Amino acid sequence: MAADPPAPTTGQHHDTDIRLHLLGGFRLTHGDTPVVVPRGLQRIIALIGLRPGATRTHLAGLLWPEATEERALSSLRTALWRLRQDPYCPLTTAADTVRLDPLVRVDVDLLVDTAGRVRDGHAPDDATEALAAGRHDLLPGWYDDWVLADRERLRQLRLHMLEQVAGQHLAAGRHGEALEAALEAMAAEPLRETPHRLVVRIHLAEGNAFEAVHAFYVYRDLLLRELRLEPSPAMSALLAETLDPIRRASRPSSGPRRHPVTRAAFSGPMAVRHRTDPGR
């Protein structure tokens, strides 16, 4: 590996920030300098970053699933030897486990830590950072089985985090912040009902019936168009009190239709007959 532009390659740079970016694509930076990493070593660094403390056997099996265990472990030993020669991504080994040095900061950890705080009921320290965390998929364009599994895990983790943030803000009456988090979740997965349901609840809490009804029908049309499905009963129930009076008013009467009585009905020749006929 080498930095671009080149930087010193000797010594452990403990005074410099080393970051491993896996969301949105692989990037390793040493301070402000990007480090060029061969694709084969990228896979190993990424997997160690996602599986801290994994055993060598486990890493080898994930990286070379079609090779024999002996061959996979041999390939891993060679790769780890190459990585240990370079200070830009230092490793820590203990017994049979391998992990990145604590000096290396991994962006996935920020998403996981933020989601954990939200799950425990704590508001994130930086709301903007929390909304942005995990906005990009894990290692797009990579199709290893372990990447696909972690990509979906992190996607679901972020969606639940955003919905929990929106729910916390809604419960506290911070409707603007709640709506921002719900819309962020909606953008991440447009067909997922939960964020749409949150948007409707937020609008109703603000007293914006039109916005709530509009949000409901936008989602209903999207769901019908894409999946030929209707919103869930729970989603429809949110608007029952708002829509029922409108539906009752627009529903045709079930009884015989009566023509309204007007002044014209009591004018003209027939009206005179009604007034003058002594038999009436």
Side-chain angles (χ1 to χ4, degrees), residues 181-198:
L183 291 175
E184 185 77 31
M186 187 188 301
E189 182 46 80
L191 291 172
R192 184 180 173 92
E193 181 174 301
T194 320
H196 289 271
R197 200 185 304 168
L198 278 164

Side-chain angles (χ1 to χ4, degrees), residues 177-246:
E177 292 90 336
L179 187 59
E180 186 178 6
L183 291 175
E184 185 77 31
M186 187 188 301
E189 182 46 80
L191 291 172
R192 184 180 173 92
E193 181 174 301
T194 320
H196 289 271
R197 200 185 304 168
L198 278 164
V199 169
V200 171
R201 288 176 55 200
I202 294 164
H203 287 315
L204 289 174
E206 290 184 297
N208 293 324
F210 168 77
E211 295 283 3
V213 173
H214 176 72
F216 173 84
Y217 280 106
V218 166
Y219 176 62
R220 181 176 181 269
D221 290 345
L222 174 66
L223 205 58
L224 284 170
R225 183 172 66 251
E226 297 295 331
L227 300 177
R228 298 293 189 268
L229 295 175
E230 288 277 356
S232 72
M235 177 79 164
S236 301
L238 290 175
L239 289 177
E241 292 184 5
T242 302
L243 292 178
D244 280 352
I246 300 174

Side-chain angles (χ1 to χ4, degrees), residues 129-221:
E129 189 175 49
L131 294 183
R135 185 171 285 167
H136 302 290
D137 283 341
L138 175 72
L139 298 169
W142 292 31
Y143 299 104
D144 305 75
D145 289 342
W146 55 271
V147 175
L148 297 176
D150 272 16
R151 183 181 297 155
E152 180 60 17
R153 175 180 66 86
L154 294 173
R155 189 181 76 88
Q156 291 292 333
L157 184 70
R158 180 172 187 260
L159 285 169
H160 282 89
M161 177 191 71
L162 291 171
E163 291 166 0
Q164 287 171 325
V165 169
Q168 290 171 2
H169 286 315
L170 175 59
R174 296 188 293 269
H175 299 133
E177 292 90 336
L179 187 59
E180 186 178 6
L183 291 175
E184 185 77 31
M186 187 188 301
E189 182 46 80
L191 291 172
R192 184 180 173 92
E193 181 174 301
T194 320
H196 289 271
R197 200 185 304 168
L198 278 164
V199 169
V200 171
R201 288 176 55 200
I202 294 164
H203 287 315
L204 289 174
E206 290 184 297
N208 293 324
F210 168 77
E211 295 283 3
V213 173
H214 176 72
F216 173 84
Y217 280 106
V218 166
Y219 176 62
R220 181 176 181 269
D221 290 345

